[in-house]
Amino acid sequence: MKRSLLIRILTCMIISVHISCNKFLDTTPTNTLTEQTQWASEANADVYLNGIYQRLNRPNTPDPLDNYTDDNDGGPYWLSWQWKQGIVTPEIEDGHPMIQDAVANDFTGWSYTYDKVRRCNEFLQQTELHKNNYSTAWYNKRRDEVRFLRAFFYAGLWQHIGGLVLLTEPLDRKEMPDELLYRKRNTFEETFNFIISELKDIVDNAYLAVKYNNGDSDAGRATLGAALALCGWVELYAASPSFNSSIPAAAEGTGAAAEQTTLVGFGNYDQRRWEIAAATNRKFIDLYGGTYRLFDNMELLWSEATEYNSEVIWDRQLKANVTNLESDFAQKGGPTYILGKYYTWGNFCPTQELVDAFRMANGLPISDSQSGYDPKHPYLNREPRFYYFIVYDGAPYKMNWMPQTDTIYTRIDRVNPSKNEIELAQSDVTRTGYYFKKRMDPDNEPAAWSYGINYIFIRYAEVLLNFAEAQNEAYGPNEVYAVINELRTKRGLPSIEDTYGASVLTQEQMREVIRNERRVELCFENKRFYDLIRWRIAFDVMNKPLHGMKIQNSSPNDNAGEWQYERLPLNNHPHVFSKKMYMNPIPYTVIAANSKIVQNPGY
């Protein structure tokens, strides 16, 4: 059971504003806090701050970012169909078609982000004005927490929009002149520099803890580990081909004006950006590599019992059966029918493209003639992560809450029909021949609003991959082997040397290894979308048809023949990606209200 002070306070705030939460929040009820009392004490100010933490996004939607990639086919009946078909304008869904609701992908929306930023700026302004009410330790720590949250919110929107209007104080329509209220966008580079400066300053201040563990009273709050890891990721993102270029991806072929180009990328290539990203991620490994480390068991990494394990760097606290702290994630994914009973909507359906990315047990890709891959038995002798993450035809499925093991069949079988049989229509069963198992709750059966496993934003495996990529791009593969081997061997794969023998990988070959490791290791963690965007491959990848696996017997009436595996094009769920979609548009309502805001290219 969670014992974090933060989540106890949030739970109490949500359950009742009239009843105090035992000793955990011995302060004025939140519904009676005035502007004066709000900032009169550390406890009252914490109430405001906890409200900001509560606005961190959570995976409560059938349209995760993975649904906008080549890893997942979630069906055409959610808002993602617009983006998938290239229908993206400043007017549709207020410019952010990736929002099915306002809790999961709200970081892609302008208004949602600036509401959070305003709250951060209000906290920073008011705690400065009432500084005498707080201890120095509390003041320093809480302000750096809020600066981290503001940088995190800005970074989320920056990845989808580019240059932002950087606000560091609350806007006041009564007191501020128009030139302060209506501001133009900062450039892509200026926004990047602000985020990085804030994060590095937080790390240098060292007011925050490096990490919290399960049961710590402050678990769920920002840490030095989170600040440095986010810094390394933002630097890697900025150094990537879509932005670290004379012509940024969103400006190519879109008729971008010079000013627009500066809003969606640097407008020049600089090798040092890779070097800086490599140095920051190396710094994390060197400083915190003993505190953070890869978790031993991937099957148990996502569970309430293992929250804040050694791999978790930054997460969003969730708690089952508590309004605004719960999630319905488990109801949206996993097999639709388990032991004959309907459980889930089956929205997260791995594509054949993702399944093919999993290596064989010997570490080789299935395309390698030495891998041992058998297309007539495609699920034999695959790497361990395949069995941890993917539910395939004939897969044994057993969670702790289940009384016995089920076998999930997605094949078309007239003799022994399965309720999980592949179907390309509008029902909840798989459209690809696969379900996923990763991140499903091992201890509680899937039901509406019952998911309480924390949502992990950043974990140590990603830092290792971030370093490996930046180091390879900056200096070549020599120092990358050890890091990639650390990840591969922990996940049950042979080392690169054991897999490829004495041959030395080139930078290009190592790039392919790293990119594949990212795809497999981080699948269904909302990472693939950003990789497609920043690697500048979304236009090529997302305009190709995706596939599922159709399995049927050559003698369908008696199953006396052999089972045949056919790659099935998912033609009824087409993807259209235009180059302007490397960035989302600025909402029409924003530009209509402020003529100084310049639209992104192509919109």
Side-chain angles (χ1 to χ4, degrees), residues 275-328:
E275 297 169 5
I276 291 170
T280 297
N281 285 286
R282 183 196 294 273
K283 180 178 179 180
F284 187 102
I285 296 169
D286 291 343
L287 281 180
Y288 305 145
T291 302
Y292 294 95
R293 60 189 182 281
L294 296 174
F295 191 62
D296 291 334
N297 191 333
M298 287 297 288
E299 287 189 288
L300 299 179
L301 195 147
W302 286 274
S303 73
E304 290 193 62
T306 61
E307 288 172 345
Y308 301 104
N309 62 65
S310 63
E311 194 160 328
V312 176
I313 298 173
W314 171 232
D315 69 357
R316 202 277 193 211
Q317 289 194 332
L318 298 175
K319 189 170 179 62
N321 302 315
V322 177
T323 302
N324 294 325
L325 283 178
E326 68 213 340
S327 167
D328 62 358

CSV table of all heavy atoms in Angstrom, one decimal, residues 275-328:
chain,number,residue,atom,x,y,z
A,275,GLU,N,27.4,16.1,-28.4
A,275,GLU,CA,28.4,16.0,-27.3
A,275,GLU,C,27.9,16.4,-26.0
A,275,GLU,O,28.2,15.8,-25.0
A,275,GLU,CB,29.7,16.8,-27.7
A,275,GLU,CG,30.4,16.3,-29.0
A,275,GLU,CD,31.4,17.3,-29.5
A,275,GLU,OE1,31.7,18.3,-28.8
A,275,GLU,OE2,32.0,17.0,-30.6
A,276,ILE,N,27.1,17.5,-26.0
A,276,ILE,CA,26.6,18.0,-24.7
A,276,ILE,C,25.5,17.0,-24.2
A,276,ILE,O,25.5,16.7,-23.0
A,276,ILE,CB,25.9,19.4,-24.9
A,276,ILE,CG1,27.0,20.4,-25.2
A,276,ILE,CG2,25.1,19.8,-23.7
A,276,ILE,CD1,26.5,21.7,-25.7
A,277,ALA,N,24.7,16.4,-25.1
A,277,ALA,CA,23.7,15.4,-24.6
A,277,ALA,C,24.4,14.2,-24.1
A,277,ALA,O,24.0,13.6,-23.0
A,277,ALA,CB,22.8,15.1,-25.8
A,278,ALA,N,25.5,13.8,-24.7
A,278,ALA,CA,26.2,12.6,-24.2
A,278,ALA,C,26.8,12.9,-22.8
A,278,ALA,O,26.8,12.1,-21.9
A,278,ALA,CB,27.4,12.3,-25.2
A,279,ALA,N,27.4,14.1,-22.6
A,279,ALA,CA,28.0,14.5,-21.4
A,279,ALA,C,27.0,14.5,-20.2
A,279,ALA,O,27.3,14.0,-19.1
A,279,ALA,CB,28.7,15.8,-21.5
A,280,THR,N,25.8,15.0,-20.5
A,280,THR,CA,24.8,15.1,-19.4
A,280,THR,C,24.3,13.7,-19.0
A,280,THR,O,24.2,13.4,-17.9
A,280,THR,CB,23.6,16.0,-19.9
A,280,THR,OG1,24.1,17.3,-20.2
A,280,THR,CG2,22.5,16.0,-18.9
A,281,ASN,N,24.0,12.9,-20.0
A,281,ASN,CA,23.6,11.5,-19.7
A,281,ASN,C,24.7,10.7,-19.1
A,281,ASN,O,24.4,9.9,-18.2
A,281,ASN,CB,23.0,10.8,-21.0
A,281,ASN,CG,21.7,11.4,-21.3
A,281,ASN,OD1,20.7,11.0,-20.7
A,281,ASN,ND2,21.6,12.2,-22.4
A,282,ARG,N,25.9,10.9,-19.5
A,282,ARG,CA,27.1,10.3,-18.8
A,282,ARG,C,27.2,10.8,-17.3
A,282,ARG,O,27.4,10.0,-16.4
A,282,ARG,CB,28.4,10.6,-19.5
A,282,ARG,CG,29.6,9.8,-18.9
A,282,ARG,CD,30.9,10.4,-19.4
A,282,ARG,NE,31.1,10.2,-20.8
A,282,ARG,CZ,31.7,9.1,-21.3
A,282,ARG,NH1,32.1,8.2,-20.5
A,282,ARG,NH2,31.9,9.0,-22.6
A,283,LYS,N,26.9,12.0,-17.1
A,283,LYS,CA,26.9,12.6,-15.8
A,283,LYS,C,25.9,11.9,-14.9
A,283,LYS,O,26.2,11.6,-13.7
A,283,LYS,CB,26.7,14.1,-15.8
A,283,LYS,CG,26.7,14.8,-14.4
A,283,LYS,CD,26.4,16.3,-14.6
A,283,LYS,CE,26.4,17.0,-13.2
A,283,LYS,NZ,26.2,18.4,-13.3
A,284,PHE,N,24.7,11.6,-15.4
A,284,PHE,CA,23.7,10.9,-14.6
A,284,PHE,C,24.2,9.6,-14.2
A,284,PHE,O,24.1,9.1,-13.1
A,284,PHE,CB,22.4,10.8,-15.4
A,284,PHE,CG,21.3,10.2,-14.6
A,284,PHE,CD1,20.3,11.1,-14.1
A,284,PHE,CD2,21.2,8.9,-14.3
A,284,PHE,CE1,19.3,10.5,-13.4
A,284,PHE,CE2,20.2,8.3,-13.6
A,284,PHE,CZ,19.2,9.2,-13.1
A,285,ILE,N,24.8,8.8,-15.2
A,285,ILE,CA,25.3,7.5,-14.9
A,285,ILE,C,26.4,7.5,-13.9
A,285,ILE,O,26.4,6.7,-13.0
A,285,ILE,CB,25.8,6.8,-16.2
A,285,ILE,CG1,24.6,6.6,-17.2
A,285,ILE,CG2,26.4,5.5,-16.0
A,285,ILE,CD1,25.0,6.2,-18.6
A,286,ASP,N,27.3,8.5,-14.0
A,286,ASP,CA,28.4,8.6,-13.1
A,286,ASP,C,28.0,9.0,-11.7
A,286,ASP,O,28.5,8.5,-10.7
A,286,ASP,CB,29.5,9.6,-13.6
A,286,ASP,CG,30.2,9.1,-14.9
A,286,ASP,OD1,30.1,7.8,-15.1
A,286,ASP,OD2,30.8,9.9,-15.6
A,287,LEU,N,27.1,10.0,-11.6
A,287,LEU,CA,26.7,10.5,-10.3
A,287,LEU,C,25.7,9.6,-9.6
A,287,LEU,O,25.8,9.4,-8.4
A,287,LEU,CB,26.0,11.9,-10.5
A,287,LEU,CG,27.0,13.1,-10.7
A,287,LEU,CD1,26.1,14.3,-10.8
A,287,LEU,CD2,27.9,13.2,-9.5
A,288,TYR,N,24.7,9.1,-10.4
A,288,TYR,CA,23.6,8.4,-9.8
A,288,TYR,C,23.4,6.9,-10.1
A,288,TYR,O,22.5,6.3,-9.8
A,288,TYR,CB,22.3,9.1,-10.2
A,288,TYR,CG,22.2,10.6,-9.8
A,288,TYR,CD1,21.6,11.5,-10.7
A,288,TYR,CD2,22.8,11.1,-8.7
A,288,TYR,CE1,21.5,12.9,-10.4
A,288,TYR,CE2,22.8,12.5,-8.4
A,288,TYR,CZ,22.1,13.3,-9.3
A,288,TYR,OH,22.1,14.7,-9.0
A,289,GLY,N,24.4,6.4,-10.9
A,289,GLY,CA,24.4,5.1,-11.3
A,289,GLY,C,24.3,4.0,-10.2
A,289,GLY,O,23.9,2.9,-10.5
A,290,GLY,N,24.8,4.4,-9.0
A,290,GLY,CA,24.6,3.5,-7.9
A,290,GLY,C,23.3,3.5,-7.3
A,290,GLY,O,22.8,2.5,-6.7
A,291,THR,N,22.7,4.7,-7.3
A,291,THR,CA,21.4,4.9,-6.7
A,291,THR,C,20.3,4.3,-7.6
A,291,THR,O,19.3,3.7,-7.2
A,291,THR,CB,21.1,6.4,-6.4
A,291,THR,OG1,22.1,6.9,-5.5
A,291,THR,CG2,19.7,6.6,-5.8
A,292,TYR,N,20.4,4.6,-8.9
A,292,TYR,CA,19.5,4.1,-9.9
A,292,TYR,C,20.2,3.0,-10.7
A,292,TYR,O,21.4,3.1,-11.0
A,292,TYR,CB,19.1,5.2,-10.9
A,292,TYR,CG,18.3,6.3,-10.3
A,292,TYR,CD1,18.9,7.5,-9.9
A,292,TYR,CD2,16.9,6.2,-10.2
A,292,TYR,CE1,18.1,8.5,-9.4
A,292,TYR,CE2,16.1,7.2,-9.7
A,292,TYR,CZ,16.8,8.4,-9.3
A,292,TYR,OH,16.0,9.4,-8.7
A,293,ARG,N,19.5,1.9,-10.9
A,293,ARG,CA,20.0,0.8,-11.7
A,293,ARG,C,18.9,0.0,-12.3
A,293,ARG,O,17.7,0.2,-11.9
A,293,ARG,CB,20.9,-0.1,-10.8
A,293,ARG,CG,20.1,-0.7,-9.7
A,293,ARG,CD,21.0,-1.5,-8.7
A,293,ARG,NE,20.2,-2.1,-7.6
A,293,ARG,CZ,19.7,-1.5,-6.6
A,293,ARG,NH1,19.9,-0.2,-6.4
A,293,ARG,NH2,19.0,-2.2,-5.7
A,294,LEU,N,19.2,-0.8,-13.3
A,294,LEU,CA,18.2,-1.6,-14.0
A,294,LEU,C,17.5,-2.6,-13.0
A,294,LEU,O,18.2,-3.2,-12.2
A,294,LEU,CB,18.8,-2.4,-15.1
A,294,LEU,CG,19.3,-1.5,-16.3
A,294,LEU,CD1,20.0,-2.4,-17.3
A,294,LEU,CD2,18.2,-0.7,-16.9
A,295,PHE,N,16.2,-2.6,-13.1
A,295,PHE,CA,15.4,-3.5,-12.2
A,295,PHE,C,15.6,-5.0,-12.7
A,295,PHE,O,15.7,-5.2,-13.9
A,295,PHE,CB,14.0,-3.2,-12.2
A,295,PHE,CG,13.1,-3.8,-11.2
A,295,PHE,CD1,13.4,-3.6,-9.8
A,295,PHE,CD2,12.1,-4.6,-11.5
A,295,PHE,CE1,12.6,-4.3,-8.8
A,295,PHE,CE2,11.3,-5.3,-10.6
A,295,PHE,CZ,11.6,-5.1,-9.2
A,296,ASP,N,15.6,-5.9,-11.8
A,296,ASP,CA,16.0,-7.3,-12.1
A,296,ASP,C,14.9,-8.0,-12.9
A,296,ASP,O,15.2,-8.9,-13.7
A,296,ASP,CB,16.3,-8.1,-10.8
A,296,ASP,CG,17.5,-7.6,-10.1
A,296,ASP,OD1,18.4,-7.1,-10.8
A,296,ASP,OD2,17.7,-7.8,-8.9
A,297,ASN,N,13.6,-7.7,-12.7
A,297,ASN,CA,12.6,-8.5,-13.3
A,297,ASN,C,11.6,-7.6,-14.0
A,297,ASN,O,10.8,-6.9,-13.4
A,297,ASN,CB,11.9,-9.3,-12.2
A,297,ASN,CG,10.9,-10.4,-12.7
A,297,ASN,OD1,10.4,-10.2,-13.8
A,297,ASN,ND2,10.7,-11.4,-11.9
A,298,MET,N,11.6,-7.7,-15.4
A,298,MET,CA,10.7,-6.9,-16.2
A,298,MET,C,9.3,-7.2,-16.0
A,298,MET,O,8.4,-6.4,-16.1
A,298,MET,CB,11.1,-7.0,-17.7
A,298,MET,CG,12.4,-6.4,-18.1
A,298,MET,SD,12.3,-4.6,-17.9
A,298,MET,CE,11.2,-4.1,-19.2
A,299,GLU,N,9.0,-8.5,-15.6
A,299,GLU,CA,7.6,-8.8,-15.4
A,299,GLU,C,7.0,-8.1,-14.2
A,299,GLU,O,5.8,-8.0,-14.1
A,299,GLU,CB,7.5,-10.3,-15.2
A,299,GLU,CG,7.6,-11.1,-16.5
A,299,GLU,CD,7.3,-12.6,-16.4
A,299,GLU,OE1,8.1,-13.3,-15.7
A,299,GLU,OE2,6.2,-13.0,-16.9
A,300,LEU,N,7.9,-7.7,-13.2
A,300,LEU,CA,7.4,-7.1,-12.0
A,300,LEU,C,7.7,-5.6,-11.9
A,300,LEU,O,7.4,-5.0,-10.9
A,300,LEU,CB,8.0,-7.8,-10.8
A,300,LEU,CG,7.8,-9.3,-10.6
A,300,LEU,CD1,8.5,-9.9,-9.4
A,300,LEU,CD2,6.3,-9.6,-10.5
A,301,LEU,N,8.3,-5.1,-13.0
A,301,LEU,CA,8.6,-3.7,-12.9
A,301,LEU,C,7.4,-2.8,-12.7
A,301,LEU,O,7.5,-1.8,-12.0
A,301,LEU,CB,9.4,-3.3,-14.2
A,301,LEU,CG,10.2,-1.9,-14.1
A,301,LEU,CD1,11.4,-2.0,-14.9
A,301,LEU,CD2,9.3,-0.7,-14.5
A,302,TRP,N,6.3,-3.1,-13.4
A,302,TRP,CA,5.1,-2.3,-13.2
A,302,TRP,C,4.1,-3.1,-12.3
A,302,TRP,O,3.4,-4.0,-12.7
A,302,TRP,CB,4.4,-2.1,-14.6
A,302,TRP,CG,5.2,-1.1,-15.4
A,302,TRP,CD1,5.0,0.2,-15.4
A,302,TRP,CD2,6.2,-1.4,-16.4
A,302,TRP,NE1,5.9,0.8,-16.3
A,302,TRP,CE2,6.6,-0.2,-16.9
A,302,TRP,CE3,6.8,-2.6,-16.8
A,302,TRP,CZ2,7.6,-0.1,-17.9
A,302,TRP,CZ3,7.8,-2.5,-17.8
A,302,TRP,CH2,8.2,-1.3,-18.3
A,303,SER,N,4.1,-2.7,-11.1
A,303,SER,CA,3.2,-3.2,-10.1
A,303,SER,C,3.2,-2.3,-8.9
A,303,SER,O,4.2,-1.5,-8.7
A,303,SER,CB,3.6,-4.6,-9.6
A,303,SER,OG,4.7,-4.6,-8.8
A,304,GLU,N,2.2,-2.3,-8.1
A,304,GLU,CA,2.1,-1.4,-7.0
A,304,GLU,C,3.2,-1.8,-5.9
A,304,GLU,O,3.7,-0.9,-5.3
A,304,GLU,CB,0.7,-1.4,-6.3
A,304,GLU,CG,-0.3,-0.7,-7.2
A,304,GLU,CD,-1.6,-0.5,-6.4
A,304,GLU,OE1,-1.6,0.3,-5.4
A,304,GLU,OE2,-2.7,-1.0,-6.8
A,305,ALA,N,3.5,-3.0,-5.8
A,305,ALA,CA,4.5,-3.5,-4.9
A,305,ALA,C,5.9,-3.0,-5.2
A,305,ALA,O,6.7,-2.9,-4.3
A,305,ALA,CB,4.4,-5.0,-4.8
A,306,THR,N,6.1,-2.7,-6.5
A,306,THR,CA,7.5,-2.4,-6.8
A,306,THR,C,7.6,-0.9,-7.3
A,306,THR,O,8.6,-0.5,-7.9
A,306,THR,CB,8.0,-3.3,-8.0
A,306,THR,OG1,7.1,-3.1,-9.1
A,306,THR,CG2,8.0,-4.7,-7.6
A,307,GLU,N,6.7,-0.1,-6.9
A,307,GLU,CA,6.8,1.3,-7.3
A,307,GLU,C,8.0,1.9,-6.6
A,307,GLU,O,8.4,1.6,-5.5
A,307,GLU,CB,5.5,2.0,-6.8
A,307,GLU,CG,4.3,1.7,-7.7
A,307,GLU,CD,3.0,2.3,-7.2
A,307,GLU,OE1,2.9,2.7,-6.0
A,307,GLU,OE2,2.0,2.3,-8.0
A,308,TYR,N,8.6,2.9,-7.3
A,308,TYR,CA,9.9,3.5,-6.9
A,308,TYR,C,11.0,2.5,-6.7
A,308,TYR,O,11.9,2.7,-5.9
A,308,TYR,CB,9.6,4.3,-5.6
A,308,TYR,CG,8.6,5.4,-5.7
A,308,TYR,CD1,7.3,5.2,-5.2
A,308,TYR,CD2,8.9,6.5,-6.5
A,308,TYR,CE1,6.4,6.2,-5.4
A,308,TYR,CE2,7.9,7.5,-6.7
A,308,TYR,CZ,6.7,7.3,-6.2
A,308,TYR,OH,5.7,8.3,-6.4
A,309,ASN,N,11.0,1.5,-7.6
A,309,ASN,CA,12.1,0.5,-7.6
A,309,ASN,C,13.3,1.2,-8.1
A,309,ASN,O,13.3,2.4,-8.5
A,309,ASN,CB,11.7,-0.7,-8.3
A,309,ASN,CG,11.4,-0.4,-9.8
A,309,ASN,OD1,12.3,0.0,-10.6
A,309,ASN,ND2,10.2,-0.6,-10.2
A,310,SER,N,14.4,0.5,-8.2
A,310,SER,CA,15.7,1.1,-8.5
A,310,SER,C,15.8,1.7,-9.9
A,310,SER,O,16.6,2.5,-10.2
A,310,SER,CB,16.8,0.0,-8.5
A,310,SER,OG,16.5,-1.0,-9.4
A,311,GLU,N,14.8,1.4,-10.8
A,311,GLU,CA,14.9,1.9,-12.2
A,311,GLU,C,14.0,3.2,-12.3
A,311,GLU,O,14.2,3.9,-13.3
A,311,GLU,CB,14.4,0.8,-13.1
A,311,GLU,CG,14.7,1.1,-14.6
A,311,GLU,CD,14.7,-0.1,-15.5
A,311,GLU,OE1,15.0,-1.2,-15.0
A,311,GLU,OE2,14.3,0.0,-16.6
A,312,VAL,N,13.1,3.4,-11.4
A,312,VAL,CA,12.1,4.5,-11.6
A,312,VAL,C,12.8,5.8,-11.2
A,312,VAL,O,13.3,6.0,-10.1
A,312,VAL,CB,10.9,4.3,-10.8
A,312,VAL,CG1,10.0,5.5,-10.9
A,312,VAL,CG2,10.2,3.0,-11.2
A,313,ILE,N,12.8,6.8,-12.2
A,313,ILE,CA,13.4,8.1,-11.9
A,313,ILE,C,12.3,9.2,-11.7
A,313,ILE,O,12.4,10.0,-10.8
A,313,ILE,CB,14.3,8.5,-13.1
A,313,ILE,CG1,15.5,7.5,-13.3
A,313,ILE,CG2,14.9,9.9,-13.0
A,313,ILE,CD1,16.3,7.7,-14.5
A,314,TRP,N,11.3,9.2,-12.5
A,314,TRP,CA,10.3,10.2,-12.4
A,314,TRP,C,8.9,9.6,-12.8
A,314,TRP,O,8.8,9.0,-13.9
A,314,TRP,CB,10.6,11.4,-13.3
A,314,TRP,CG,9.6,12.5,-13.5
A,314,TRP,CD1,9.1,12.9,-14.6
A,314,TRP,CD2,8.9,13.2,-12.5
A,314,TRP,NE1,8.2,13.9,-14.4
A,314,TRP,CE2,8.0,14.1,-13.1
A,314,TRP,CE3,8.9,13.2,-11.1
A,314,TRP,CZ2,7.2,15.0,-12.4
A,314,TRP,CZ3,8.1,14.0,-10.3
A,314,TRP,CH2,7.2,14.9,-11.0
A,315,ASP,N,7.9,9.7,-12.0
A,315,ASP,CA,6.6,9.1,-12.2
A,315,ASP,C,5.5,9.9,-11.8
A,315,ASP,O,5.7,11.0,-11.1
A,315,ASP,CB,6.6,7.7,-11.6
A,315,ASP,CG,6.5,7.6,-10.1
A,315,ASP,OD1,6.6,8.7,-9.5
A,315,ASP,OD2,6.4,6.6,-9.5
A,316,ARG,N,4.3,9.5,-12.1
A,316,ARG,CA,3.1,10.2,-11.7
A,316,ARG,C,2.3,9.2,-10.8
A,316,ARG,O,2.0,8.1,-11.2
A,316,ARG,CB,2.2,10.5,-12.9
A,316,ARG,CG,1.2,11.6,-12.7
A,316,ARG,CD,-0.1,11.2,-12.1
A,316,ARG,NE,-1.1,12.3,-12.2
A,316,ARG,CZ,-2.0,12.5,-11.4
A,316,ARG,NH1,-2.1,11.8,-10.3
A,316,ARG,NH2,-2.9,13.5,-11.6
A,317,GLN,N,2.1,9.7,-9.5
A,317,GLN,CA,1.4,8.8,-8.6
A,317,GLN,C,0.0,8.5,-9.0
A,317,GLN,O,-0.8,9.5,-9.4
A,317,GLN,CB,1.5,9.4,-7.2
A,317,GLN,CG,2.9,9.3,-6.6
A,317,GLN,CD,2.8,9.6,-5.1
A,317,GLN,OE1,1.9,10.3,-4.6
A,317,GLN,NE2,3.8,9.1,-4.4
A,318,LEU,N,-0.4,7.3,-8.9
A,318,LEU,CA,-1.8,6.9,-9.1
A,318,LEU,C,-2.3,6.0,-7.9
A,318,LEU,O,-1.5,5.4,-7.2
A,318,LEU,CB,-1.9,6.1,-10.4
A,318,LEU,CG,-1.6,6.8,-11.7
A,318,LEU,CD1,-1.6,5.8,-12.9
A,318,LEU,CD2,-2.5,8.0,-12.0
A,319,LYS,N,-3.6,6.0,-7.7
A,319,LYS,CA,-4.1,5.2,-6.7
A,319,LYS,C,-5.5,4.7,-7.1
A,319,LYS,O,-6.4,5.5,-7.5
A,319,LYS,CB,-4.2,5.9,-5.4
A,319,LYS,CG,-4.6,5.0,-4.2
A,319,LYS,CD,-4.5,5.8,-2.9
A,319,LYS,CE,-4.8,4.9,-1.7
A,319,LYS,NZ,-4.0,3.7,-1.6
A,320,ALA,N,-5.7,3.4,-7.1
A,320,ALA,CA,-7.0,2.8,-7.6
A,320,ALA,C,-8.1,3.3,-6.7
A,320,ALA,O,-8.0,3.5,-5.5
A,320,ALA,CB,-6.9,1.3,-7.5
A,321,ASN,N,-9.3,3.5,-7.4
A,321,ASN,CA,-10.5,3.7,-6.7
A,321,ASN,C,-10.6,5.1,-6.0
A,321,ASN,O,-11.4,5.3,-5.1
A,321,ASN,CB,-10.9,2.6,-5.7
A,321,ASN,CG,-11.0,1.3,-6.4
A,321,ASN,OD1,-11.6,1.2,-7.5
A,321,ASN,ND2,-10.4,0.3,-5.8
A,322,VAL,N,-9.7,6.0,-6.4
A,322,VAL,CA,-9.7,7.4,-5.8
A,322,VAL,C,-9.9,8.3,-7.0
A,322,VAL,O,-9.0,8.4,-7.9
A,322,VAL,CB,-8.4,7.7,-5.1
A,322,VAL,CG1,-8.5,9.2,-4.6
A,322,VAL,CG2,-8.3,6.8,-3.9
A,323,THR,N,-11.0,9.1,-7.1
A,323,THR,CA,-11.2,10.0,-8.2
A,323,THR,C,-10.1,10.9,-8.4
A,323,THR,O,-9.5,11.5,-7.5
A,323,THR,CB,-12.5,10.8,-7.9
A,323,THR,OG1,-13.6,9.8,-7.7
A,323,THR,CG2,-12.8,11.7,-9.1
A,324,ASN,N,-9.7,11.1,-9.7
A,324,ASN,CA,-8.6,11.9,-10.1
A,324,ASN,C,-7.2,11.4,-9.7
A,324,ASN,O,-6.2,12.1,-10.0
A,324,ASN,CB,-8.7,13.4,-9.6
A,324,ASN,CG,-9.9,14.1,-10.1
A,324,ASN,OD1,-10.3,13.8,-11.3
A,324,ASN,ND2,-10.6,14.9,-9.4
A,325,LEU,N,-7.1,10.3,-9.1
A,325,LEU,CA,-5.8,9.6,-8.8
A,325,LEU,C,-5.8,8.2,-9.5
A,325,LEU,O,-4.7,7.6,-9.4
A,325,LEU,CB,-5.5,9.5,-7.3
A,325,LEU,CG,-5.0,10.8,-6.6
A,325,LEU,CD1,-4.8,10.5,-5.2
A,325,LEU,CD2,-3.7,11.3,-7.3
A,326,GLU,N,-6.9,7.8,-10.0
A,326,GLU,CA,-7.0,6.4,-10.6
A,326,GLU,C,-6.8,6.5,-12.1
A,326,GLU,O,-6.7,7.6,-12.7
A,326,GLU,CB,-8.3,5.8,-10.3
A,326,GLU,CG,-9.5,6.6,-11.0
A,326,GLU,CD,-10.7,6.6,-10.2
A,326,GLU,OE1,-10.9,5.8,-9.3
A,326,GLU,OE2,-11.6,7.4,-10.5
A,327,SER,N,-6.8,5.4,-12.7
A,327,SER,CA,-6.6,5.3,-14.2
A,327,SER,C,-7.4,4.1,-14.7
A,327,SER,O,-7.6,3.1,-13.9
A,327,SER,CB,-5.2,5.1,-14.6
A,327,SER,OG,-5.1,4.8,-15.9
A,328,ASP,N,-7.9,4.2,-15.9
A,328,ASP,CA,-8.6,3.1,-16.5
A,328,ASP,C,-7.7,2.4,-17.5
A,328,ASP,O,-8.2,1.7,-18.4
A,328,ASP,CB,-9.9,3.5,-17.2
A,328,ASP,CG,-9.7,4.5,-18.3
A,328,ASP,OD1,-8.6,4.9,-18.6
A,328,ASP,OD2,-10.7,4.9,-18.9
